[in-house]
Amino acid sequence: MLVLQAIIEGVLVGGFYALMAAGLTLVFGVMDIVNFAIGALIVLGAYLSYSVCNHLHIDPFLSLLITTPLMTGLGMFIYVFLIKPIKTNRVVMSLLTMFAVATLIEGILDICYNSGFVQIHASYINNSLKIGKLNFPLIYVLSFLLSVFLLGCLFLITYRTKFGRSLRASMQNPVAARLVGIDTDRVSMITLGIGIGLAAIGGMVFGTTNAFNASSSYDIISRLLVIVILGGFGSVGGALVSAIFMLVIQDVVAVVWSPVWGSTTFYMILILVLLVRPQGLFGKKGVRAQ
Amino acid sequence: MSTDITTSQRPTPPSYEVPKVYRYGALIVGFFALVIFPLVFNNPTISTIGVFAMIFLMAVTGWNIFSGYTGYIALGHAVFFGIGQYATAMLSSYWHINPGMWTFVLIPVSMILAGIAAIPIGFMILRVRKHTFIVLTIALMFIFQLFAYNLRSWTGGSQGLEVGQPGWDGSVFNLPYYYVGLFVAIIAIITSFMIRRSKFGLSLLAIRDDEDRARSLGINTTRSKLIAFIISAVFLGAAGCIYAMFVGSVYPQFSFDPAFDLELSIMAFAGGLGTILGPSLGALIISAAQQYFLISFGGANVFLIVYGALFIVILRLLPGGVVPAISDKWRSHVVRKEQRKLDAEIQGPAEGGAKK
């Protein structure tokens, strides 16, 4: 029974990680950059939601209407002023730039909110959903539904709109995309905007389910990177599967063995899988070519 | 005076490299500056900055031997830094080493242990390339951090371990650490220099430029990468050992610190990735600036902001690093001088003729 509970909780939390990983992998696919700042941006989103909820006394889910556009704008700003000017050695330079952004955000958040742990509050946060003998925190279920909804939207945007077509074209072959008249700069800007806008939503979910402070970002970023690598860089479907897979395994190990080994297993799986499949579970072979 | 120059009289084309006199001159001046530094500034606060600069100097030089030469950006070298620290902490209590000069014996031991640990790790992670490699090294570092937290009976878990501090007088306390650090750092730089000048170094540079082509030319890329990885791990182990001795305590979150890896790469990038002395220069400048900010701003948060902003500025203004920027400047200086000479030759017979 405990194992079943752990599996379902793993799936519920996995939905949140899947959404974040999808944003990360899209950004990677289009721009060839690893958004190392996503951890700090999620924490920033969490703090923004926290402030909005505290000052306007509204529901955390409503606060997204304010924080998401803000963060999307921030993403576009970062692209135009920091990522676009990089000309040489893009992969590493962008990763380091994103790290610098993360450091900057962490420092600013540390000053604005001190370093005590906070959590976003709502009236229903301690309620839970009972099905038979299983017991689920309501907030996990709500955030899972939100994640699934947004993933659906992301899927529709990528596969059913004109922008999605240019996005996929830029992922497949940026040079050819530019040749047929796609403004890849604009696509990149919007993609980074979406990726960081998703971080606002992820931040809200993270902030309601965990207590956080400015340095919580390292934990998130390491997990997200592991999920994206395991799924194969640039593969959205792979990110979804591996997010849920990893979180379920972690929760089951935590229940069956010991919580402290849960996260170790999380990283060990990555190494074991990569020994067999260096390109990740769903990655294309091309990833290996330099 | 004849200004008529035929092709046979043409001087040999100028060298676009910075002349040896300047390069070795700067090296010797830098060396002596480092040697006398703690004697001139005997204020403990400043010599503490010096000790940290030495630790980062050897760490970055070691990191550059692998990441700079092969182009594989490793963000998990804190693993070896941490292994060096934990080896020092555990062995000094296991062997009952009295704090003092004898503790420095642990440096070669830590180096060997880090090198041994690098063999299986290298085998595992050198199978992947590019982004996957970067992220895998980060994941590996978190695995080691979790081990340090979880294997409580050996590592003390989140309580950390203590390393005994010798009871030296405050005014000379930093000196042994500084000079031992300088000694190891110079060994690291000499190793880096010799590798760069050897055939082995050329194979590493070939891997950086095009690994598949290097393989097709008969270079055993896996072996070259692994050897470079082990050599770089050895110096990180030494850095960890001196760090643990100097700071006196070892904690999982500071031994296996993601920020440490990024600091190494920032220093290498600021100085010039893949050059011999660039990373050293970056290490000296940035680690000194970092410690200075940390001391003068007190709180860690302002320091983070200054650091992040500084980093963005460095990446924007000097994307190639300081050392390549200097050689670029020199090259354009030589080219301009040549151009002026040629102009003078062309305009000379025309009696200061019309300017274009």
Side-chain angles (χ1 to χ4, degrees), chain A residues 129-164:
Chain A
L129 201 65
K130 281 201 171 87
I131 305 168
K133 278 184 188 165
L134 302 174
N135 204 347
F136 304 110
L138 183 64
I139 191 76
Y140 280 37
V141 178
L142 287 177
S143 60
F144 179 73
L145 292 177
L146 179 70
S147 301
V148 170
F149 170 72
L150 287 167
L151 279 171
C153 291
L154 206 60
F155 186 83
L156 285 181
I157 291 175
T158 336
Y159 288 96
R160 293 283 181 277
T161 63
K162 189 158 176 257
F163 169 73

mmCIF file of all heavy atoms in Angstrom, chain A residues 129-164:
data_model
loop_
_atom_site.group_PDB
_atom_site.id
_atom_site.type_symbol
_atom_site.label_atom_id
_atom_site.label_comp_id
_atom_site.label_asym_id
_atom_site.label_seq_id
_atom_site.Cartn_x
_atom_site.Cartn_y
_atom_site.Cartn_z
ATOM 1 N N LEU A 129 -6.820 14.531 -0.474
ATOM 2 C CA LEU A 129 -7.828 13.822 -1.238
ATOM 3 C C LEU A 129 -7.736 12.359 -0.830
ATOM 4 O O LEU A 129 -6.665 11.761 -0.900
ATOM 5 C CB LEU A 129 -7.498 13.999 -2.717
ATOM 6 C CG LEU A 129 -8.588 13.786 -3.738
ATOM 7 C CD1 LEU A 129 -9.665 14.837 -3.568
ATOM 8 C CD2 LEU A 129 -7.995 13.877 -5.127
ATOM 9 N N LYS A 130 -8.894 11.782 -0.391
ATOM 10 C CA LYS A 130 -8.841 10.380 0.021
ATOM 11 C C LYS A 130 -9.515 9.509 -1.021
ATOM 12 O O LYS A 130 -10.647 9.737 -1.407
ATOM 13 C CB LYS A 130 -9.575 10.210 1.360
ATOM 14 C CG LYS A 130 -8.754 10.645 2.556
ATOM 15 C CD LYS A 130 -9.290 9.993 3.829
ATOM 16 C CE LYS A 130 -8.369 10.237 4.998
ATOM 17 N NZ LYS A 130 -8.629 11.482 5.716
ATOM 18 N N ILE A 131 -8.753 8.506 -1.506
ATOM 19 C CA ILE A 131 -9.349 7.504 -2.393
ATOM 20 C C ILE A 131 -9.064 6.164 -1.747
ATOM 21 O O ILE A 131 -7.906 5.733 -1.698
ATOM 22 C CB ILE A 131 -8.723 7.544 -3.802
ATOM 23 C CG1 ILE A 131 -8.839 8.965 -4.376
ATOM 24 C CG2 ILE A 131 -9.394 6.540 -4.722
ATOM 25 C CD1 ILE A 131 -8.025 9.179 -5.607
ATOM 26 N N GLY A 132 -10.097 5.522 -1.246
ATOM 27 C CA GLY A 132 -9.883 4.268 -0.536
ATOM 28 C C GLY A 132 -8.992 4.511 0.663
ATOM 29 O O GLY A 132 -9.230 5.414 1.460
ATOM 30 N N LYS A 133 -7.891 3.751 0.741
ATOM 31 C CA LYS A 133 -6.989 3.934 1.860
ATOM 32 C C LYS A 133 -5.866 4.909 1.512
ATOM 33 O O LYS A 133 -5.028 5.221 2.336
ATOM 34 C CB LYS A 133 -6.371 2.579 2.251
ATOM 35 C CG LYS A 133 -7.278 1.751 3.144
ATOM 36 C CD LYS A 133 -6.566 0.484 3.552
ATOM 37 C CE LYS A 133 -7.525 -0.442 4.290
ATOM 38 N NZ LYS A 133 -6.967 -1.806 4.386
ATOM 39 N N LEU A 134 -5.829 5.342 0.232
ATOM 40 C CA LEU A 134 -4.747 6.236 -0.187
ATOM 41 C C LEU A 134 -5.113 7.663 0.135
ATOM 42 O O LEU A 134 -6.264 8.055 0.112
ATOM 43 C CB LEU A 134 -4.494 6.085 -1.692
ATOM 44 C CG LEU A 134 -4.129 4.673 -2.126
ATOM 45 C CD1 LEU A 134 -4.039 4.601 -3.625
ATOM 46 C CD2 LEU A 134 -2.826 4.255 -1.496
ATOM 47 N N ASN A 135 -4.074 8.425 0.376
ATOM 48 C CA ASN A 135 -4.262 9.759 0.880
ATOM 49 C C ASN A 135 -3.322 10.704 0.128
ATOM 50 O O ASN A 135 -2.111 10.555 0.189
ATOM 51 C CB ASN A 135 -3.878 9.733 2.371
ATOM 52 C CG ASN A 135 -4.567 10.837 3.107
ATOM 53 O OD1 ASN A 135 -5.117 11.742 2.478
ATOM 54 N ND2 ASN A 135 -4.534 10.785 4.418
ATOM 55 N N PHE A 136 -3.891 11.661 -0.634
ATOM 56 C CA PHE A 136 -3.021 12.535 -1.406
ATOM 57 C C PHE A 136 -3.218 13.981 -1.008
ATOM 58 O O PHE A 136 -4.353 14.438 -0.904
ATOM 59 C CB PHE A 136 -3.315 12.413 -2.897
ATOM 60 C CG PHE A 136 -3.207 11.021 -3.380
ATOM 61 C CD1 PHE A 136 -4.329 10.313 -3.761
ATOM 62 C CD2 PHE A 136 -1.977 10.401 -3.436
ATOM 63 C CE1 PHE A 136 -4.228 9.024 -4.189
ATOM 64 C CE2 PHE A 136 -1.873 9.103 -3.856
ATOM 65 C CZ PHE A 136 -3.008 8.412 -4.242
ATOM 66 N N PRO A 137 -2.135 14.714 -0.829
ATOM 67 C CA PRO A 137 -2.279 16.148 -0.591
ATOM 68 C C PRO A 137 -2.963 16.780 -1.807
ATOM 69 O O PRO A 137 -2.580 16.515 -2.951
ATOM 70 C CB PRO A 137 -0.842 16.635 -0.463
ATOM 71 C CG PRO A 137 -0.044 15.427 -0.145
ATOM 72 C CD PRO A 137 -0.744 14.286 -0.780
ATOM 73 N N LEU A 138 -3.986 17.596 -1.524
ATOM 74 C CA LEU A 138 -4.775 18.189 -2.602
ATOM 75 C C LEU A 138 -3.912 19.042 -3.516
ATOM 76 O O LEU A 138 -4.092 19.054 -4.737
ATOM 77 C CB LEU A 138 -5.891 19.037 -1.983
ATOM 78 C CG LEU A 138 -6.867 19.672 -2.967
ATOM 79 C CD1 LEU A 138 -7.635 18.602 -3.711
ATOM 80 C CD2 LEU A 138 -7.824 20.588 -2.242
ATOM 81 N N ILE A 139 -2.926 19.718 -2.913
ATOM 82 C CA ILE A 139 -2.126 20.648 -3.695
ATOM 83 C C ILE A 139 -1.303 19.917 -4.753
ATOM 84 O O ILE A 139 -1.095 20.407 -5.866
ATOM 85 C CB ILE A 139 -1.246 21.503 -2.751
ATOM 86 C CG1 ILE A 139 -0.597 22.654 -3.503
ATOM 87 C CG2 ILE A 139 -0.206 20.680 -2.046
ATOM 88 C CD1 ILE A 139 -1.542 23.750 -3.795
ATOM 89 N N TYR A 140 -0.873 18.685 -4.420
ATOM 90 C CA TYR A 140 -0.138 17.885 -5.404
ATOM 91 C C TYR A 140 -1.032 17.579 -6.593
ATOM 92 O O TYR A 140 -0.614 17.645 -7.749
ATOM 93 C CB TYR A 140 0.340 16.563 -4.783
ATOM 94 C CG TYR A 140 1.584 16.678 -3.933
ATOM 95 C CD1 TYR A 140 1.802 17.786 -3.138
ATOM 96 C CD2 TYR A 140 2.550 15.675 -3.941
ATOM 97 C CE1 TYR A 140 2.932 17.893 -2.358
ATOM 98 C CE2 TYR A 140 3.694 15.773 -3.163
ATOM 99 C CZ TYR A 140 3.873 16.881 -2.375
ATOM 100 O OH TYR A 140 4.989 16.986 -1.612
ATOM 101 N N VAL A 141 -2.305 17.209 -6.278
ATOM 102 C CA VAL A 141 -3.226 16.850 -7.354
ATOM 103 C C VAL A 141 -3.487 18.068 -8.241
ATOM 104 O O VAL A 141 -3.427 17.988 -9.480
ATOM 105 C CB VAL A 141 -4.536 16.306 -6.755
ATOM 106 C CG1 VAL A 141 -5.514 15.965 -7.864
ATOM 107 C CG2 VAL A 141 -4.263 15.097 -5.894
ATOM 108 N N LEU A 142 -3.731 19.229 -7.588
ATOM 109 C CA LEU A 142 -4.011 20.443 -8.365
ATOM 110 C C LEU A 142 -2.825 20.814 -9.240
ATOM 111 O O LEU A 142 -2.978 21.137 -10.424
ATOM 112 C CB LEU A 142 -4.348 21.601 -7.427
ATOM 113 C CG LEU A 142 -5.703 21.540 -6.746
ATOM 114 C CD1 LEU A 142 -5.861 22.721 -5.791
ATOM 115 C CD2 LEU A 142 -6.819 21.548 -7.781
ATOM 116 N N SER A 143 -1.617 20.743 -8.659
ATOM 117 C CA SER A 143 -0.465 21.157 -9.459
ATOM 118 C C SER A 143 -0.199 20.160 -10.575
ATOM 119 O O SER A 143 0.231 20.542 -11.663
ATOM 120 C CB SER A 143 0.763 21.342 -8.576
ATOM 121 O OG SER A 143 1.067 20.142 -7.930
ATOM 122 N N PHE A 144 -0.519 18.893 -10.306
ATOM 123 C CA PHE A 144 -0.363 17.906 -11.370
ATOM 124 C C PHE A 144 -1.313 18.222 -12.524
ATOM 125 O O PHE A 144 -0.926 18.210 -13.696
ATOM 126 C CB PHE A 144 -0.636 16.499 -10.825
ATOM 127 C CG PHE A 144 -0.529 15.422 -11.863
ATOM 128 C CD1 PHE A 144 0.706 15.031 -12.345
ATOM 129 C CD2 PHE A 144 -1.663 14.806 -12.360
ATOM 130 C CE1 PHE A 144 0.814 14.048 -13.303
ATOM 131 C CE2 PHE A 144 -1.563 13.815 -13.326
ATOM 132 C CZ PHE A 144 -0.321 13.432 -13.790
ATOM 133 N N LEU A 145 -2.584 18.547 -12.178
ATOM 134 C CA LEU A 145 -3.552 18.871 -13.231
ATOM 135 C C LEU A 145 -3.104 20.092 -14.018
ATOM 136 O O LEU A 145 -3.178 20.122 -15.250
ATOM 137 C CB LEU A 145 -4.935 19.108 -12.617
ATOM 138 C CG LEU A 145 -5.580 17.859 -12.016
ATOM 139 C CD1 LEU A 145 -6.917 18.209 -11.375
ATOM 140 C CD2 LEU A 145 -5.767 16.788 -13.085
ATOM 141 N N LEU A 146 -2.602 21.110 -13.298
ATOM 142 C CA LEU A 146 -2.117 22.314 -13.974
ATOM 143 C C LEU A 146 -0.962 21.972 -14.920
ATOM 144 O O LEU A 146 -0.921 22.430 -16.071
ATOM 145 C CB LEU A 146 -1.659 23.339 -12.937
ATOM 146 C CG LEU A 146 -1.108 24.647 -13.485
ATOM 147 C CD1 LEU A 146 -2.218 25.462 -14.104
ATOM 148 C CD2 LEU A 146 -0.410 25.450 -12.408
ATOM 149 N N SER A 147 -0.041 21.136 -14.439
ATOM 150 C CA SER A 147 1.099 20.756 -15.273
ATOM 151 C C SER A 147 0.642 20.036 -16.527
ATOM 152 O O SER A 147 1.138 20.302 -17.624
ATOM 153 C CB SER A 147 2.056 19.857 -14.491
ATOM 154 O OG SER A 147 2.525 20.512 -13.361
ATOM 155 N N VAL A 148 -0.312 19.099 -16.344
ATOM 156 C CA VAL A 148 -0.786 18.343 -17.498
ATOM 157 C C VAL A 148 -1.456 19.283 -18.503
ATOM 158 O O VAL A 148 -1.214 19.211 -19.715
ATOM 159 C CB VAL A 148 -1.762 17.239 -17.053
ATOM 160 C CG1 VAL A 148 -2.446 16.609 -18.246
ATOM 161 C CG2 VAL A 148 -1.025 16.193 -16.263
ATOM 162 N N PHE A 149 -2.260 20.220 -17.985
ATOM 163 C CA PHE A 149 -2.935 21.184 -18.852
ATOM 164 C C PHE A 149 -1.914 21.993 -19.653
ATOM 165 O O PHE A 149 -2.019 22.153 -20.870
ATOM 166 C CB PHE A 149 -3.813 22.101 -17.995
ATOM 167 C CG PHE A 149 -4.362 23.282 -18.732
ATOM 168 C CD1 PHE A 149 -5.367 23.113 -19.689
ATOM 169 C CD2 PHE A 149 -3.880 24.556 -18.492
ATOM 170 C CE1 PHE A 149 -5.869 24.203 -20.374
ATOM 171 C CE2 PHE A 149 -4.376 25.646 -19.181
ATOM 172 C CZ PHE A 149 -5.372 25.461 -20.127
ATOM 173 N N LEU A 150 -0.885 22.477 -18.949
ATOM 174 C CA LEU A 150 0.108 23.313 -19.628
ATOM 175 C C LEU A 150 0.936 22.520 -20.621
ATOM 176 O O LEU A 150 1.287 23.017 -21.696
ATOM 177 C CB LEU A 150 1.020 23.978 -18.602
ATOM 178 C CG LEU A 150 0.341 25.105 -17.839
ATOM 179 C CD1 LEU A 150 1.165 25.500 -16.651
ATOM 180 C CD2 LEU A 150 0.134 26.292 -18.764
ATOM 181 N N LEU A 151 1.221 21.267 -20.260
ATOM 182 C CA LEU A 151 1.953 20.426 -21.207
ATOM 183 C C LEU A 151 1.133 20.226 -22.466
ATOM 184 O O LEU A 151 1.662 20.241 -23.581
ATOM 185 C CB LEU A 151 2.281 19.071 -20.571
ATOM 186 C CG LEU A 151 3.502 19.069 -19.664
ATOM 187 C CD1 LEU A 151 3.597 17.757 -18.923
ATOM 188 C CD2 LEU A 151 4.760 19.294 -20.479
ATOM 189 N N GLY A 152 -0.212 20.057 -22.267
ATOM 190 C CA GLY A 152 -1.100 19.943 -23.420
ATOM 191 C C GLY A 152 -1.025 21.191 -24.286
ATOM 192 O O GLY A 152 -0.916 21.109 -25.518
ATOM 193 N N CYS A 153 -1.069 22.369 -23.638
ATOM 194 C CA CYS A 153 -0.972 23.627 -24.380
ATOM 195 C C CYS A 153 0.338 23.688 -25.150
ATOM 196 O O CYS A 153 0.381 24.080 -26.328
ATOM 197 C CB CYS A 153 -1.022 24.817 -23.428
ATOM 198 S SG CYS A 153 -2.609 25.038 -22.671
ATOM 199 N N LEU A 154 1.420 23.298 -24.473
ATOM 200 C CA LEU A 154 2.737 23.336 -25.094
ATOM 201 C C LEU A 154 2.765 22.438 -26.326
ATOM 202 O O LEU A 154 3.296 22.802 -27.380
ATOM 203 C CB LEU A 154 3.767 22.855 -24.072
ATOM 204 C CG LEU A 154 5.187 23.348 -24.218
ATOM 205 C CD1 LEU A 154 5.213 24.855 -24.126
ATOM 206 C CD2 LEU A 154 6.058 22.743 -23.132
ATOM 207 N N PHE A 155 2.148 21.274 -26.171
ATOM 208 C CA PHE A 155 2.078 20.324 -27.276
ATOM 209 C C PHE A 155 1.317 20.938 -28.451
ATOM 210 O O PHE A 155 1.767 20.880 -29.604
ATOM 211 C CB PHE A 155 1.387 19.054 -26.790
ATOM 212 C CG PHE A 155 1.394 17.950 -27.807
ATOM 213 C CD1 PHE A 155 2.503 17.127 -27.937
ATOM 214 C CD2 PHE A 155 0.299 17.744 -28.623
ATOM 215 C CE1 PHE A 155 2.516 16.125 -28.880
ATOM 216 C CE2 PHE A 155 0.307 16.738 -29.562
ATOM 217 C CZ PHE A 155 1.415 15.923 -29.695
ATOM 218 N N LEU A 156 0.150 21.567 -28.135
ATOM 219 C CA LEU A 156 -0.644 22.182 -29.204
ATOM 220 C C LEU A 156 0.148 23.282 -29.891
ATOM 221 O O LEU A 156 0.155 23.385 -31.120
ATOM 222 C CB LEU A 156 -1.948 22.759 -28.636
ATOM 223 C CG LEU A 156 -3.017 21.732 -28.297
ATOM 224 C CD1 LEU A 156 -4.256 22.426 -27.776
ATOM 225 C CD2 LEU A 156 -3.357 20.885 -29.520
ATOM 226 N N ILE A 157 0.830 24.108 -29.091
ATOM 227 C CA ILE A 157 1.609 25.203 -29.688
ATOM 228 C C ILE A 157 2.693 24.638 -30.605
ATOM 229 O O ILE A 157 2.890 25.103 -31.725
ATOM 230 C CB ILE A 157 2.255 26.074 -28.580
ATOM 231 C CG1 ILE A 157 1.174 26.851 -27.832
ATOM 232 C CG2 ILE A 157 3.271 27.033 -29.168
ATOM 233 C CD1 ILE A 157 1.694 27.635 -26.669
ATOM 234 N N THR A 158 3.371 23.592 -30.133
ATOM 235 C CA THR A 158 4.492 23.075 -30.922
ATOM 236 C C THR A 158 4.036 22.363 -32.188
ATOM 237 O O THR A 158 4.710 22.438 -33.205
ATOM 238 C CB THR A 158 5.319 22.078 -30.077
ATOM 239 O OG1 THR A 158 5.124 22.371 -28.717
ATOM 240 C CG2 THR A 158 6.766 22.156 -30.408
ATOM 241 N N TYR A 159 2.909 21.659 -32.114
ATOM 242 C CA TYR A 159 2.549 20.815 -33.257
ATOM 243 C C TYR A 159 1.372 21.326 -34.081
ATOM 244 O O TYR A 159 1.093 20.795 -35.129
ATOM 245 C CB TYR A 159 2.265 19.383 -32.785
ATOM 246 C CG TYR A 159 3.524 18.680 -32.394
ATOM 247 C CD1 TYR A 159 3.938 18.630 -31.077
ATOM 248 C CD2 TYR A 159 4.353 18.098 -33.359
ATOM 249 C CE1 TYR A 159 5.116 18.011 -30.709
ATOM 250 C CE2 TYR A 159 5.530 17.476 -33.009
ATOM 251 C CZ TYR A 159 5.909 17.433 -31.690
ATOM 252 O OH TYR A 159 7.090 16.829 -31.344
ATOM 253 N N ARG A 160 0.658 22.368 -33.603
ATOM 254 C CA ARG A 160 -0.531 22.762 -34.341
ATOM 255 C C ARG A 160 -0.530 24.233 -34.769
ATOM 256 O O ARG A 160 -1.484 24.695 -35.336
ATOM 257 C CB ARG A 160 -1.792 22.510 -33.496
ATOM 258 C CG ARG A 160 -2.086 21.045 -33.232
ATOM 259 C CD ARG A 160 -2.691 20.350 -34.452
ATOM 260 N NE ARG A 160 -2.974 18.958 -34.171
ATOM 261 C CZ ARG A 160 -2.063 17.982 -34.250
ATOM 262 N NH1 ARG A 160 -0.827 18.254 -34.594
ATOM 263 N NH2 ARG A 160 -2.400 16.739 -33.985
ATOM 264 N N THR A 161 0.519 24.991 -34.451
ATOM 265 C CA THR A 161 0.486 26.394 -34.853
ATOM 266 C C THR A 161 1.654 26.699 -35.794
ATOM 267 O O THR A 161 2.585 25.906 -35.931
ATOM 268 C CB THR A 161 0.621 27.330 -33.634
ATOM 269 O OG1 THR A 161 1.900 27.079 -33.046
ATOM 270 C CG2 THR A 161 -0.464 27.103 -32.619
ATOM 271 N N LYS A 162 1.550 27.877 -36.412
ATOM 272 C CA LYS A 162 2.609 28.283 -37.330
ATOM 273 C C LYS A 162 3.902 28.531 -36.569
ATOM 274 O O LYS A 162 4.986 28.139 -37.004
ATOM 275 C CB LYS A 162 2.178 29.564 -38.065
ATOM 276 C CG LYS A 162 3.109 29.940 -39.179
ATOM 277 C CD LYS A 162 2.433 30.828 -40.206
ATOM 278 C CE LYS A 162 3.432 31.260 -41.268
ATOM 279 N NZ LYS A 162 3.892 32.632 -41.091
ATOM 280 N N PHE A 163 3.759 29.160 -35.394
ATOM 281 C CA PHE A 163 4.949 29.405 -34.584
ATOM 282 C C PHE A 163 5.618 28.084 -34.212
ATOM 283 O O PHE A 163 6.839 27.952 -34.263
ATOM 284 C CB PHE A 163 4.578 30.171 -33.312
ATOM 285 C CG PHE A 163 5.700 30.232 -32.327
ATOM 286 C CD1 PHE A 163 6.786 31.042 -32.568
ATOM 287 C CD2 PHE A 163 5.686 29.440 -31.186
ATOM 288 C CE1 PHE A 163 7.847 31.074 -31.685
ATOM 289 C CE2 PHE A 163 6.745 29.471 -30.302
ATOM 290 C CZ PHE A 163 7.823 30.296 -30.551
ATOM 291 N N GLY A 164 4.761 27.084 -33.876
ATOM 292 C CA GLY A 164 5.302 25.780 -33.516
ATOM 293 C C GLY A 164 6.076 25.171 -34.660
ATOM 294 O O GLY A 164 7.119 24.540 -34.455
#
